[in-house]
Structures are given as C-alpha cells and as structure tokens.
Amino acid sequence: MLQLRHRRDSTPATTRWRNKFDENLEQWPHLNELVHCYTTDWVKDENKYGHYESIGTPSFHNQIYEGPDTDIETEMRLAGARRTKGEDISEDDIPSTSGRQFMEAADGEHSDVPKHFGHSPLPAYEPAFDWENERSLIFGQRIPETPISHGMKISVKVQSLQFQAGLAEPFYGTICLYNRERREKLSEDFYFHVLPTEMQGAKITCEPRAIFYLDVPSASVCLLIQLEKHATEEGGVTPSVYSRKDPVHLTEREKQKLQVWSQIMPYKESFSWAIVSLFDGSIGAASAGPASPSSPLAPSVSGSSTHEGVFETSTKVSLDGKMSYSNGNSVVVEVSNLNKVKESYTEESLQDPKRKVHKPVKGVLRLEIEKHQISQADLETMSECGSATNDSVDPGDRIADSMSGKYPSNGCDDPQGSISKWNFSDAKEILGNGTNQHGNSDFNADDFHAFDFRTTTRNEPFLQLFHCLYVYPLTVSLGRKRNLFIRVELREDDGDIRRQPLEAIYPRDPGLETSYQKWGHTQVAVGARVASYHDEIKLSLPAMWTPMHHLLFTLFHVDLQTKLEAPKPVVIGYAALPLSSHAQLRSEINLPILRELVPHYLQDAGRERLDYLEDGKNVFRLRLRLCSSLYPINERIRDFFLEYDRHTLRTSPPWGSELLEAINSLKNVDSTALLQFLHPILNMLLHLIGNGGETLQVAAFRAMVNIVTRVQQESVDDAERNHFLVNYVDCAFDDFGGRQPPVYPGLSTVWGSLARSKAKGYRVGPVYDDVLAMAWFFLELIVKSMALEKTRLFYHSLPIGEDIPPMQLKDGVFRCIMQLYDCLLTEVHERCKKGLSLAKRLNSSLAFFCYDLLSIIEPRQVFELVSLYLDKFSGVCQSVLHECKLTFLQIICDHDLFVEMPGRDPSDRNYLSSVLIQELFVTWDHEDLSLRAKAARILVVLLCKHEFDVRYQKPEDKLYIAQLYLPVIGQILDEMPVFYNLNSVEKREVSIVILEIVRNLDDASLVKACQQSIARTRLFFKLMEECLLLFEHKKPADGMLLGSSSRNPIGEAPASPKYSERLSPAINNYLSEASRQEVRPQGTPDNGYLWQRVNSQLSSPSQPYSLREALAQAQSSRIGASAQALRESLHPLLRQKLELWEENLSASVSLQVLEVTEKFSTMAAKHSIATDYGKLDCITAVFMSFLSRNQPLSFWKAFFPVFNSVFDLHGATLMARENDRFLKQVTFQLLRLAVFRNENIRKRAVVGLQILVRCSFHYFTQTARLRVMLIITLSELMSDVQVTQMRSDGSLEESGEARRLRKSLEEMKDETKSSFLLEECGLLESALVAIPEKKAEHKWSWSEVKYLSDSLLLALDGSLEHALLSPVMTMDRYAAAESFYKLAMAFAPVPDLHIMWLLHLCDAHQEMQSWAEAAQCAVAVAGVVMQALVARKDGVWNKDHVASLRKICPMVSNEITSEASAAEVEGYGASKLTVDSAVKYLQLANKLFSQAELFHFCASILELVIPVYKSRRAYGQLAKCHTLLTNIYESILEQESSPIPFTDATYYRVGFYGDRFGKLDKKEYIYREPRDVRLGDIMEKLSHIYESRMDGNHTLHIIPDSRQVKAEELQPGVCYLQITAVDAVMEDEDLGSRRERIFSLSTGSVRARVFDRFLFDTPFTKNGKTQGGLEDQWKRRTVLQTEGSFPALVNRLLVIKSESLEFSPVENAIGMIETRTAALRNELEEPRSSEGDQLPRLQSLQRILQGSVAVQVNSGVLSVCTAFLSGEPATRLRSQELQQLIAALLEFMAVCKRAIRVHFRLIGEEDQDFHTQLVNGFQSLTAELSHYIPAILSEL
C-alpha cells in the first residue's frame, strides 16, 4: 500500500553536498534531522487518491433507425462496399467509437456467462465518464498534488570556435544565465574549453552540455558568455590579432610561439564576452515555454512529443538574408558579436557596449541550444524535489511565445545592431553531434546541471541537500600596475600558517572527475591598477562551522616574460574572511590587504601587529553567495534548531523553557525562511508532540497549527489544501523512518484534549478555529502515521504478494480518536447551521478521514465512526446539513468497491451501501431540487465506477454489485410517487441505475424481486416502460421545440439548453469543454481549419465554435438558444459522436428492457412469480411500448425471437378475448413494420404475423378472429400510411409503402419461402408448428393462411383504389360509388367497418339522387345487423326474415357465420348491433325506396319492422306502420292503373374500348339511370367524365350504333365508348319470341322489380345495304346478363354474359303483327275492378286502335303484305312461314273488329266521329288485304 518513492534528486551532482569532512552528525540532532529530511526516500500511498483503472472504450456502432421509407442499412452497406481497398478506413478512425471496450472475446469462452441482448446502457449514457473529473466535483475533494511545471530546461553545447586569424591557442570560457535588467546571475557558471586541433592529441573528450533551468521566458534573460585565454606574453603575439579589421592570418611562427607559451603559462586572462538573447522582446524564441496543459494546443504535454506549434515550419528569412531551417527543437547559434576586452571590464561595461574599449572580435562561436519540454517524469521529480516555483505564468503569454518560430536577432536590444546569426544548420550536422533531435533527449550523465540560484530565494520548501558557497572576487585597487591574480582557500583555523587548507574547492574542469581541490585561482588582471575579476569560485562547506572557519585570499603578481624558466608568481598580500560573520551576507564585502601572515591573524588581539597595504584601506572588493539547505540564515530558526539539539541531547535544564520560547518565536519567522525549512521544522515539532512532555506537546502543537495556517494563507494558489503541505503529508512525512514511536497517538491526544476543552466551554483561543480550518492536514498526518506503523509492523512477517491485514487500533487510542471525531462532528453540525463554508470543508475532511482509515484499520472500527456520523445527521435535515451528509457518503462510498463494512447486525452485509441507498432515496424526496439532482448523480457515478473498473469485470463481481444496490429498486417500488416527482433528468439518472442493476442480476434475484405482489410486479414494469419513454430515440427533428421536452412536469421551466436531453448531465459539460478547445481529430489537415471552411458562418476565426458563440449565434437567429441550435454549433465530429451515443443509449435501453421482459416471460411460464396471469398485463404493456416506439434495427433483430418465445409460452393468454386490445396493437404494429423499406425489418414483420397465425391455429384451430383483427388494424393503418404518390405528370400511382405491404402479405402466404424466412430471423423451422394440447395433428393450413392473406390484400386493394380515385372522386361518381362498394366488401368480415363503408356509399348515392341504390345500402346495413342478431338468437327475427330481406337485396348473405361474433374486438364488435339499429336502417331504406317509387319494396320492409313493434307492444308505432302500408299499397295501385306503364329507371349498356380506360378496357357495363335520362344525356355525361382522363395522345370517340365491336378494327390511340339503350327482361319472359316488346304488356307488374337480364334489338341486312325494305331487314336480339341484379348497391354492374338471337325478315314481320294483336287483346281482356273505371280503358283502347286501323297508318300491315305476299318474295318464303304470316294477319284483323265493337259500347256522343273513321279505316284495310289474301273476306 505505501510505496517508497525514490526522490529523483535534481540537485546537480556538481552541487550535491556530501559530508565531505566526515563530521559526526549525531552530535547535532537537528542536522541529522535535516539530512534525513533531504535524503531519505519518500513514502507515498499510491491509493490515497483512489485507485482506478478503467476498461477500454467499447466501440459504438451506428444504430440504424429506419423509418417506413428509409433503408439506411442498405445504403451503409453499399457505401461500405464502394470504399475501395486503398482507402479502407481502419476501425479506429471511424468516429463511431468512444466509450469502453467490451470483452468481445468472452462470448465463446464462458458458457456460464449470462448472454445479454445488447451492450449495457451505461457506457452510452456516460460515454465520456471520467472518474477523476467526477471525483473532483465532490465538495472538498482532495486533489493529488500536481507539480506546477515551470518553464523549461535549456541545454547549451559549445560546438566550435573559429577566428578569422585562425585558432592556435586554447581558449576557455564560462556560460551562465544572466538577467540583463536586474544585472544578476541566475545560475552558476558552466566551464568549457576549446583546444586548437594540433593540441588535442589523444586527449579527445566529449564536451558536456550545460543544462540551465528557467522559469519564465522573458526578454531580459540571456546567456552571458565570457572567453579567456592564457595570459599574453609580453612582447609576444597580442590578442589584438583576433580583432583586426583587415583579414590577417597568423603566421606559422606566431602560431608556434602561442602554443609554446600557452603550455608554459598556467594563468589565464579574460579575452572577450558576448550576450546571447534567448528571447526576443516581442516573441518567444528558441526556447519558448511549453504549451501550458490547459491550452488547447497541448492535449498532452507528453514526454517526447515535439510540438509542431513551437516552431512554425514555414521558413523565415533571418536578418542576413540566408534561409534558416529548424530541426527538432535544437538550434545552432553562431555568436559573432564577441566583444574584445581591452582592459579590465566590469559589469557596467556589459550594459553599455558602446564604449570604445570594446572591439568586435573577428570570430564565431557556435553553440547548439536546445529547448526541452519538462516531461512528465521531470514533473514528478520536481514535485519531489521541489524546484517548483510560485511564479505561475499566465498561460496566455506562454502560448503566444510558443507560437512563433522567429529567432531573435539582438538588434532590438543590442545597440550595436548585433551580428549574431541564428543559423539553423542542416539536420545532419546536428545529428552528427550525437544529440537526439527529439525534445527530450535523455540527458547524459556528464551533462552539467547548472545550479539555479533562484532555488535559494523561492518561497518554497527546500527538498534537496545543498550546502556550498560561491565566492566572487570583484576588484583590487592597488597603487601601481601589476599582473595580479588571487588564490582562494578555506581554512579551519588561523593557528598554524603552514597547515594545509581544507579540500573544499570544486574543480574547474568538469570533464575530469577530480576530487575537491585545496584552492582555486582567479584570472590574471594584466597591467591594471584596478584589477577586475569575473571568476566564480565554488566551495563545499562543513555541516557546522566554528568561528574559526575562514576564507583566505592570497594575492600574487606574475611576470609575463620568459627568462630562463617559466615565470613564477610572487605573493603581494593576504586577506581573510571569517565564515560565521559574513557567509550569509548578500552584499559586497570590502577587505583590507595584509602584507604578511602571522599566526592567529583573525584575532582582534593581534590586529595592531599586522601590516596592511595601502594604509589598511579596504581595497579588496568581493561578493559571496551562500546556497545552503542546512544552514538557516534566519536567526530564530537557528535558535530553534539549537534549543532542539539541547533538548534532544538533554544538555539543557529539564524544564526546557528556552525551547518553549524558541518554539513560540517561530510564529515571527518571515515566511520565506519558514517555507524553506518547512519540512524539517514540521518534523521536529512532530517529534516533540510525539514524545515531549505535556507542556511541550501543547506548545509544539500550537506552533505547528500556527505555521501550517500561515503556510496555507500565504500560499499563492487558492487550493483548499496548500500543495506544499500536501506534498509534505503525501511524500515527505515518514514518521521518522521508524526510528521512534509513531506520532498519531500523541497528535490525537493533544488535539483531542484541546477539542474536549472547547466542548466543555473553556476558552481555547483563536488556535481552535485554525485547527478546524487545517483539520485535513492533521487528519491526514494521523492516517499516514497509522499506515506507516501498519506497514512496518507487517513488513517482514508477511509473505510477498499478500495483502497486509487491517490493523486493530488500541482501545485507548481508538477511544481518543472517537472522542476527537465526535467533537469535530459537533462543530460541523453547529457551524453548518450558521452556513459557514468551514463546516463543509471540515465535513469533507472527516469523510476522507474515514475513507483513509478503511484501508488501514479494522472496518468495524471505521463503522463505529461512520455510524456515529449518521446518528448525528439522521433523517431529513436542513439542506445544508443534508448536503454535507451526501458529500460524506459520496466520499466514503468512493472507497474501493467492495468495502465490506459490516453493520452491527451480522446479516447486514454492507452497512455502507444500505445507508447510502436509504439516504439517497430520502434525498429524492427532499424539497431542495439541487440535492435531488446530486443524489441521482452520486448513484450513477458509483455504478459507472463499478462498471468500468478493470477489476470488476467478472460476472460474479457484477452480480455482487447488482445485489448490493438492488434495494434501490425496492425502495422506488414502495414509493413510486417519489420517482414520478423527479424531473426528467433525474428520472433518467435513476432509470439508468435501475437498468444497470437489473442487467447484472441473476435470475434467482429477479424472481425474488417479483414475488412480493402483483401490484409491485406491475410497478416494476411501469418503471421499465418509463425507461423506454425516457430514452426513446427521437429523430433530430422532433427536438426542434425548445430545449425542454414537453413532458417536463409543470413548474419546471426549460432549464438552460443542453446538447442532449437523453445523455448524462456530465456530457453537456464534456461537450462544452470539447467545443471550447479546438477539436483536431486525426485526419483533419494540420492547421485544423477544416471545420471553419465547412461552416464559416458559425465560427469566428479567433475562437472557432465556442459554446458562447454558438449561443449568441442561436439567439441572434431567433431560434431561442434551443438544444437544436446548440447541437448545430458543435463540431461535426462531436455532433456525430453525440448522435452515436444517443442512438446507442436508446438501443441498449430497449434491448435491456427486452431482456428483462424475456426473463420475466420464462419466469411467468413457471408460475414462480406474482403477476396477473389472466392478462399478463406486464408483458403486454411492455410489448406495446416496444412496438409503438422508434427502435433500431439491432432491436428488431433481437425482438422477434423473444416475440416468438413469449407467444409460445403464453399464447393462450395473449390471444384471449381479454387481451384484444393488446393483440390489436400488436397486429397494427406488425402491419406497420411490414410496410418498411428495410428488408430486414419487413421480413421480420411477416414472420411475426405468421407467429400470430400459428397461435391462432394452435389455440382456436381457425383464424377467423385473427382475420377480423388484421382487417381492423389494416383499415387503421391505411389512414396512417400514404398509399398513393404523385407521378411527375401529377397523376397518382400506388406508393412504395402500399407495394411493400402487398409484398409482405404475399410473402406471408408463400409456403415455399417460409422456412427461409424463419431461418433469416433466427427462428427454428418448427416455429410455425401448431399442435394444440391433447390433439396430435398439426393444425396449420396454408390454404387458410392464403385465404387470410387474400382477404387482407382485398382490403388493401380496395383502399388503394379508393385513394387513387381521390382526384376524380367528385366527377366520376360511378367509380366513386364502386370504390366505396369495394371497400365495404373488403371489410365485410368486420361488421363495423362493413357498415361504415356501406353508409358512406349510401351517402354518395343520396348525393347523386340514386335513391334505389341508397336504399339498397340501407337494406344491406340492416341485413348485417339482422344476421348478427339472428346468429346471437337475439331479437324477434329468424332465418326466414333474413331470407325475405335477401329477396330485396341479394347481397345480404344467407349463411349466418361466426364472423360477426369473431369481430368482437375492443372498439369494434357486434355488441353495437342492436334491434334498434336494425329498425333504424330499415326505416331509412323504406324512406329511400319510397323516394325511388319502388313501393313494393317498401311494403316488404315494413313487414319486417312490424314484428318488432308487436313484440314490444308499441301500438303507436304499429299504427304508424299500418298507415304507411295503406299509403304504399295505394301508390302501387296508382302505378298499375296508370295508362302509361310505370318505369322506375332506364338502362343503358356502355362498352369501353381503349387502354386509357385502365381496368374498364374491353368491358361492358349496364348503367341504371333515373327514368328521365335520355340517350343523349348519358352520352354527354359519360364523355364529360372520360374526356378529362385523356391525355394529349388519346381522343375519345362514341360508337354511334350498337353493333358488336371488333377490337382489331379500332384505331390505336383512340378510346371508344359504345352506349345503347336496353330493356330489362322479366323473370319469366320468353326471349326467343319474335314479338316486339311492349312494357305495358308485361304481366305481374306488382312483382319485385329486380332485374339482372337486359336485351336490345339491332336491325341489320345481309346484303350489305345499310337500309333495306322489309323483305331484307333482319333483326338481332342481344340478351345481357349482369353480375348481380338491379337495383344494386352501385349504379352500374358488369356484364358477365351476352347471348344473341337472329330473326329473319319474315319472322320480323310476323312478330310485328303478333305484337299489335297481343296489345289489343290485352286491353280488351284486362279485368277492371269497377265500372266507374271506364275512362282510362277507353283512352288506351283508342290509342291502340288508332295505331292499327286508322286509314293513314295502315301502311304497317299493308307494307308487310306488299313485301312478302306479292311477286317474287312470296316465292322465296317457305310454305310454313307463308301460312304463319297469313294466320297472323287474319287474327289481327279479327281482334281489330272486336275492339271496334267494344269501342262503340264505351263511347259517348263526342266520340261518334272518331268511331266512324275507325270503321272506315277498317273496311278499306280489309279491302286492300283481300288482294293478297282472298280468304279474308270470308273470315270477317
């Protein structure tokens, strides 16, 4: 648990203090403490901030949501196929992935793993679940201390030095970071040397790099480079050769001289200097700061990535006009502005290069400067070694810096207009140099890490051990010119002059790993009165120094001429500086110079004896810089350390009052010093708390509180937990490495006693509030101390790899902690009520205390603490307290998952989870809405954490978790209103939790959950339905309303718009974050402006598509910042992700609920649960929910096998009458799916229908009821589905939906495809086997299925035809009526629908005034009702009555089926069919028939009504009926007695020829028209109807005669109508008779006028003449039979049979004469009822006689004689025909004679003349005839 972390010590090896002088540190306990503090490894608890490893993200696939008219699946497949191999996108690039990886592999391996239909809904609900982020939202969350990265490292490597004159002698140099404005060195010097090639010899060394640390790029930071060379020989080659204007090369001789001299002369002089600006004033340069992590440019400041952003790749022309190239991050800089030093220069001269002394050197120094990102690894190092600074940098500037690739020319700030070239050399050169071109090349061991001087001035704790002194001799002013240099050494005392100095000086040459040297030399100041020096001499210091430790400076003069041997230095004087008095001074120090050294030269006593140069003036100026983390400059801290030593070593008097004073005075230490020595001071105070006496303990504790509070207050960042303190607790504090007993007992005792005093009411001072504010620090210390003790206890005894068992705290200590905890709780409680934020922070600290203890001590002991807390905060509290309680639980429950925290009761398996559930549930009912949301969120986050944790992926783990949280569901079911009162967001949160729990439960637990009561089970399924509703997938268009869904409870105003209603609230933050940052997914061009181009109006270039902008945009465009607008504003890839998540969420929720339903169905089959077995309403309700919502393809694929199994198990219940409503909805939805364009869905719907048919066979052995059901739903569907669509020319055609529905219905009855279909839908072939119980044979019958399917197709066709007619409906009334009729017939199995369409038809007829047809419709309706009643044996009628009704309307079917009873479906059914409704329609029929004057029908109808009134004894109604009957019979009499025979209608035959007529082409119809419609009228009417149907290529012709039409003779492109008047044929008429037909001769005129045969006669000649005489005139009689009889339900009936007879001319003639004879005889013989009725008879007799014998008309009979009996024709006649003709004529004359006699009897006076005429006519006719037939005279 606790791990040792090696502190990666970033103290450069060159600086690290080693106990060089082997001092015994034990004598100074504080030093020991300090050294321990800086050098021991850190102990860090890896799990303190939660250990969490998330599983990978599952790949989400696009869910396909099909509408009826889409087939996205196929489109996607085709699109996929179109993608060529070359551009195959690898899975990862498809933006469809995010969320967590599921272990796909697991499917095959574990057979016991429960199979799920779909993925868990959680990942889609929380696709961007970020545990860290969720945790950080908890109030008072502890955040692991992340180091602030400062700045960067810059490495500098010297590549070469070249002079115009040539390089002949070695050069040496130093480089350091320098701040020009402040004129201060920022780092120690890095030494390098450059040897001329000849001198290198074998000693080739790899030049090390210098590494400098830098906080912030700033223009004033630069590299100061100083070069030196061996001091010039007098009279030798002067350095001026390097700076001559004219190009000159050293001669060989000069070179030799230089080389020889440089070997003789060890001392060096300064040569030149240069300043290299690292950062241009305006723009960051070579080493621009790393992109700050918050900047969008750096999604990860990762180890080795080089940021393209840092150097623009575009080349820029540098000042001198050369192109420059950058490579990686390293830049080669050529420094050519080297300033030659003429005589000693000082720092001032650096500022002012204008002074003429400086000549430019003609040479170039090449440096390779490289900027390094500070990598993660370095950051960790930093956090541990604390080079973290507080100057936090504004990220903005840093980005600005990093963006540019311009390298500074020093022109801006170097008055000389510097010539330094930044030249990017080729990559080869750089690589050749062995540096790695990546930003983070691994630093070599020989790299020189320059000590950063700011470490000693920063406000932060020292974390490294360094202890050294830098000495800077500045100037020596002596009276005469000399060549001076200074030697520096460190001595222990001044007693013995000859004694060797200490080896304390760091060596100059970094290449040689030499040990410390005894002394160091400065440069030689040649010939100067005032010698200036620029050396830095670095010494290591002893741990403790005495007043005798001092620095000794010796001044030498050296002669720069070679006499016989090398020149020897001569001592000129000495200076001494005691360390103790001056070491910590930062200012300059001036010393006098002694001539001679004498023993004890430091002591004041000997001062007079000393001899000084320059009259004892202080002529030697120097500066010291002490860098030490061992020696505090602050006196109070030194005092404390001293007293601590005395106390520890027991050298002071026992009462330790000095120590108390020292402790108390720590309060007044200034903050920098305090911070720097924070860790050791805290350690020492803790030591005192741990084992000092009580007084000391209290003092130390108070001091500690004070210090900690100050640190917290004075820290720069506003974090709740100051990061220095966090770092101390987390890493540095190690409880003295086990060298002494642990601290926690002491600490808790002191603190506890303080808290108790407060509780008892004593005054405790302000310190108490500070303790509360800093409670987190002390609590974490206590915990860490315990953890360390536990680790040390078990460290050796435990075998490797075993977990350390929890530690049982000792009773005393635990009691103490309990009391402390109790006091703190009281504080929280009290202060919360006052609303102080301190209380909330303290609350979180206490929660974390328990959280931490869970990992360390016995859980039962933690339980005591937690239950103490919950007792104090029980039940519903004020909002503030309640929120604290939630936070507390939230923190504790965030501890590793399966925390077994048993309660008091052993059966209480997990106290924590049950408390949590209890509390959350209470919160959902809390009036504070924000708390409700928080409670819901807590639960979701917890479940996500479990679900996505790598450790808990095993099914048994998941089951355990599910069982742990199962009580949540129980609570909700117990109090549903709580759930319903939540708003939709919270409902979704809760629903997701419920689904997740149910998903992972095993079946046994589910059964248990459903066993309690029927109502509860029902509620559970209500919840499931809610889930479906809440996560329903809406097409984006549905969301166009404002952000709030219309389902929000009232009073909940639409909150601020969200990106997504359905996903978790966290997603909205995630998306707004993501859209603030520039989303640059792979695949967009580098500049990332792809999106801007796509949608320019949405984004301004400065900050593309930020949330704010999107909102502004949305508001300006008046959308009202709706969710839609927000979504539009997203980057397309984010939007795609969002839609993908939403789709997957909806899909997985549906599949999850489906899975539950299936489990439920199998449980219900075993009767193991409590539910309503009569209706199975749970299953039916959920199924309806499924089917009525928009579901993805993946759902439909899983649904049908479940559908099948559920109907298998529960078919009887589901198909029963009680579930009609359900069945109706199922059939409706299946038919709806059968319309879908997507084949996969359509086929499944077909199979679904087949499954229903199978059940129908199985349970009822027939499908009548199902058929009714399907027809009903089909009719409902027709009103939803678009059956027709427009063609381009504006006409209508069948729509795709109708075509697909037809295809589905045909597939349904297709026996051949059936098995293939089942297989495709994942069902077995046996799915359609229907064997009812107790019977063996298989009941499925394809013929019945076919019948079923055909009835549906009929209904579909009817509806389609009706829809296609809609444009011509008003014009073509015939077609309209016919379409209504077809619909009525198609829906005949469903009485309601049948009646509905019949009534529509009835209305249509009434509009057309076709009264008879309308009446027939009413009769048909009454017939349906009567049949149903007779079938139910309900009412007064029986089969005979139905039969009599059939006579009127043959459509009333005579077999009384079970159809009507089958049609009992919810909302439909025979129950509406009552006697009253039948009577109502019979009366309507009666009214309509009387309007049509078909009175004999009225009579039969009233006779059906009378029995009803009789049975009811409704005498008033009976009286009315009989009155009506009287009237009717009178009307019939009137019709019959009318001299003009009564016709109720005229009939016309219409033939259609032409392809534009469509279905009518080549068909003949009989039209029944009102009696006043003449032939011309109907011609005009029909041509008007059909002309509108013709298009440009067709014309309409009417065939003028009634000949038979031969199709081949017609012209193409012309449409013909042939219209002929026809006569109705009586039932008993002899059609073969040659007589002409006269209607009034028809006998029984009272019989019902029901006609189904019609005839017409057509004259023709056989000799080809159109018109011939009687002797040539043949006659064709055509008899037509119609389908059904008139009056029918429609105005026209199809001719189904046509026969014709031909009559020869003579037969025609005989027929004509016989007809007249019959008419007369009829008139004579008709019986009249009474004598008074003579008048009408006389009139009709006169009419007939006038047409027979009047002189002027006798041509008729005469012409027959002339035609057939004279001359040639007579010889052609057969004798038989001749005799027939003569007989006919004779009979005619005889009847005429009789008629005339009768006429004479009837007439009065006025008709005498007319009678005379008749007699005359008769006589002359007889005379004429006697020419042809002599026998006539004798006959008459």
Side-chain angles (χ1 to χ4, degrees), residues 1371-1617:
M1371 225 169 92
D1372 187 350
R1373 289 295 179 76
Y1374 301 107
E1378 232 159 49
S1379 78
F1380 280 126
Y1381 171 70
K1382 274 200 174 147
L1383 282 167
M1385 296 320 294
F1387 290 111
V1390 185
D1392 297 53
L1393 295 173
H1394 185 43
I1395 290 173
M1396 175 183 85
W1397 288 115
L1398 283 171
L1399 291 175
H1400 273 302
L1401 181 56
C1402 182
D1403 292 346
H1405 283 314
Q1406 290 185 57
E1407 275 175 40
M1408 289 162 68
Q1409 298 188 339
S1410 312
W1411 307 116
E1413 284 80 5
Q1416 284 286 33
C1417 294
V1419 173
V1421 173
V1424 174
V1425 181
M1426 270 172 82
Q1427 273 177 310
L1429 294 168
V1430 172
R1432 291 209 305 252
K1433 306 223 172 2
D1434 183 1
V1436 290
W1437 292 299
N1438 57 29
K1439 288 190 180 166
D1440 304 343
H1441 292 105
V1442 177
S1444 71
L1445 201 57
R1446 261 202 99 216
K1447 287 199 182 108
I1448 303 175
C1449 178
M1451 202 200 92
V1452 176
S1453 59
N1454 49 0
E1455 84 276 13
I1456 293 177
T1457 57
S1458 59
E1459 296 272 302
S1461 57
E1464 273 298 335
V1465 176
E1466 186 233 10
Y1468 292 87
S1471 56
K1472 290 187 191 163
L1473 309 180
T1474 58
V1475 175
D1476 285 338
S1477 55
V1479 170
K1480 183 175 94 185
Y1481 291 119
L1482 285 170
Q1483 285 173 336
L1484 174 65
N1486 176 34
K1487 185 180 116 204
L1488 290 167
F1489 273 135
S1490 58
Q1491 262 175 304
E1493 299 185 30
L1494 295 174
F1495 297 114
H1496 41 282
F1497 285 144
C1498 297
S1500 348
I1501 284 172
L1502 282 175
E1503 277 156 18
L1504 289 172
V1505 178
I1506 288 170
V1508 178
Y1509 292 145
K1510 274 187 181 164
S1511 68
R1512 296 184 178 174
R1513 300 205 167 83
Y1515 300 121
Q1517 297 288 354
L1518 278 170
K1520 269 191 198 161
C1521 275
H1522 283 94
T1523 316
L1524 276 174
L1525 269 177
T1526 314
N1527 297 342
I1528 285 167
Y1529 288 131
E1530 282 172 356
S1531 307
I1532 293 177
L1533 265 177
E1534 199 181 321
Q1535 275 182 4
E1536 295 193 345
S1537 61
S1538 143
I1540 301 164
F1542 169 74
T1543 51
D1544 61 325
T1546 50
Y1547 295 94
Y1548 295 96
R1549 174 199 68 160
V1550 181
F1552 295 91
Y1553 305 94
D1555 47 9
R1556 285 298 285 175
F1557 289 127
K1559 286 188 177 171
L1560 301 178
D1561 184 18
K1562 302 200 177 56
K1563 294 218 172 107
E1564 294 185 342
Y1565 282 88
I1566 300 289
Y1567 279 67
R1568 179 179 191 278
E1569 290 292 318
R1571 56 172 173 235
D1572 52 355
V1573 173
R1574 298 281 154 262
L1575 187 58
D1577 301 340
I1578 189 163
M1579 280 186 175
E1580 190 182 336
K1581 196 162 159 192
L1582 290 178
S1583 41
H1584 178 60
I1585 290 175
Y1586 292 106
E1587 259 164 4
S1588 63
R1589 302 228 188 143
M1590 299 300 131
D1591 53 4
N1593 313 328
H1594 287 80
T1595 48
L1596 184 69
H1597 277 207
I1598 291 187
I1599 300 175
D1601 50 36
S1602 49
R1603 287 173 312 183
Q1604 272 181 309
V1605 177
K1606 296 196 175 70
E1608 56 276 7
E1609 291 173 8
L1610 301 176
Q1611 299 174 14
V1614 181
C1615 292
Y1616 297 93
L1617 283 177

Side-chain angles (χ1 to χ4, degrees), residues 468-472 541 545-553 575-592 602 604 607 618 620 622-627 631 633 638:
C468 55
L469 183 65
Y470 292 87
V471 182
Y472 301 95
L541 295 174
W545 55 67
T546 63
M548 299 312 290
H549 277 95
H550 65 281
L551 293 176
L552 180 62
F553 302 94
L577 178 69
L579 277 187
S580 49
S581 52
H582 295 287
Q584 64 269 45
L585 290 180
R586 291 276 169 93
S587 56
E588 293 179 356
I589 301 168
N590 293 321
L591 295 179
L602 286 180
D604 289 344
R607 279 288 154 98
N618 293 343
F620 175 30
L622 74 154
R623 198 183 282 155
L624 299 181
R625 186 192 281 274
L626 172 66
C627 294
Y631 179 83
I633 295 171
R638 283 211 301 277

Side-chain angles (χ1 to χ4, degrees), residues 197-217:
T197 39
E198 301 92 85
M199 293 179 71
Q200 276 175 8
K203 214 180 54 170
I204 188 156
T205 58
C206 171
E207 274 285 320
R209 287 188 295 184
I211 290 169
F212 298 103
Y213 292 88
L214 184 60
D215 293 352
V216 191

Side-chain angles (χ1 to χ4, degrees), residues 14 172-174 189-195 203 205-208 228 268 446 448 505-517 519-520 536:
T14 43
Y172 304 87
T174 63
D189 282 341
F190 158 62
Y191 294 90
F192 64 90
H193 50 246
V194 185
L195 301 179
K203 214 180 54 170
T205 58
C206 171
E207 274 285 320
E228 55 189 32
K268 308 178 183 73
D446 10 338
F448 173 84
I505 310 252
Y506 281 79
R508 277 277 175 104
D509 185 354
L512 309 170
E513 264 302 314
T514 46
S515 56
Y516 294 114
Q517 296 164 346
W519 45 61
E536 172 181 84

Side-chain angles (χ1 to χ4, degrees), residues 772-823:
L772 291 184
M774 299 308 298
W776 66 267
F777 177 72
F778 294 106
L779 290 172
E780 287 181 32
L781 269 181
I782 291 177
V783 168
K784 175 106 181 243
S785 173
M786 285 180 186
L788 287 162
E789 181 187 29
K790 171 175 153 179
T791 315
R792 290 180 183 131
L793 280 178
F794 294 108
Y795 191 66
H796 298 295
S797 54
L798 262 189
I800 290 178
E802 268 195 43
D803 284 345
I804 303 180
M807 174 171 82
Q808 181 86 34
L809 284 186
K810 295 191 187 64
D811 280 352
V813 179
F814 183 62
R815 205 168 33 253
C816 182
I817 283 178
M818 276 287 277
Q819 285 169 343
L820 172 62
Y821 195 76
D822 197 2
C823 294

Side-chain angles (χ1 to χ4, degrees), residues 929-1091:
L929 297 177
S930 62
L931 285 180
R932 290 185 191 182
K934 180 175 178 180
R937 198 80 210 105
I938 289 176
L939 204 47
V940 176
V941 171
L942 264 178
L943 274 172
C944 286
K945 189 186 151 203
H946 303 329
E947 177 68 19
F948 306 144
D949 193 325
V950 171
R951 294 165 296 180
Y952 310 124
Q953 296 302 313
K954 288 204 204 71
E956 56 269 28
D957 295 339
K958 293 197 173 216
L959 171 61
Y960 178 85
I961 299 169
Q963 285 168 337
L964 216 52
Y965 292 103
L966 182 58
V968 174
I969 300 180
Q971 294 243 309
I972 292 172
L973 294 178
D974 287 341
E975 296 186 50
M976 281 297 269
V978 172
F979 175 75
Y980 284 127
N981 287 337
L982 297 174
N983 70 24
S984 52
V985 178
E986 289 141 24
K987 273 192 197 158
R988 284 196 187 91
E989 301 260 55
V990 177
S991 307
I992 267 299
V993 168
I994 293 174
L995 287 173
E996 184 59 24
I997 295 170
V998 171
R999 176 185 176 82
N1000 293 325
L1001 275 187
D1002 57 343
D1003 297 357
S1005 318
L1006 258 183
V1007 169
K1008 230 186 241 141
C1010 293
Q1011 268 171 343
Q1012 300 192 4
S1013 72
I1014 295 180
R1016 208 178 151 92
T1017 311
R1018 198 171 285 149
L1019 284 177
F1020 176 69
F1021 275 90
K1022 269 270 173 287
L1023 280 178
M1024 293 293 113
E1025 283 177 71
E1026 277 288 320
C1027 294
L1028 290 176
L1029 176 83
L1030 289 165
F1031 296 106
E1032 181 179 356
H1033 182 264
K1034 298 192 185 63
K1035 287 278 185 328
D1038 308 349
M1040 276 308 278
L1041 296 158
L1042 265 187
S1044 65
S1045 96
S1046 52
R1047 290 204 192 83
N1048 283 1
I1050 308 98
E1052 185 181 325
S1056 58
K1058 308 190 185 82
Y1059 287 103
S1060 160
E1061 277 290 314
R1062 265 157 306 168
L1063 297 178
S1064 117
I1067 278 303
N1068 295 309
N1069 307 342
Y1070 168 81
L1071 287 174
S1072 48
E1073 273 309 303
S1075 51
R1076 274 197 200 102
Q1077 299 179 8
E1078 185 167 339
V1079 189
R1080 287 241 325 251
Q1082 300 70 27
T1084 54
D1086 271 348
N1087 53 11
Y1089 291 137
L1090 174 71
W1091 163 231

Side-chain angles (χ1 to χ4, degrees), residues 1283-1300:
V1283 205
T1284 54
Q1285 58 197 29
M1286 281 286 229
R1287 285 207 198 89
S1288 50
D1289 62 1
S1291 60
L1292 293 177
E1293 60 176 350
E1294 181 179 11
S1295 70
E1297 275 111 319
R1299 272 199 299 276
R1300 293 195 291 272

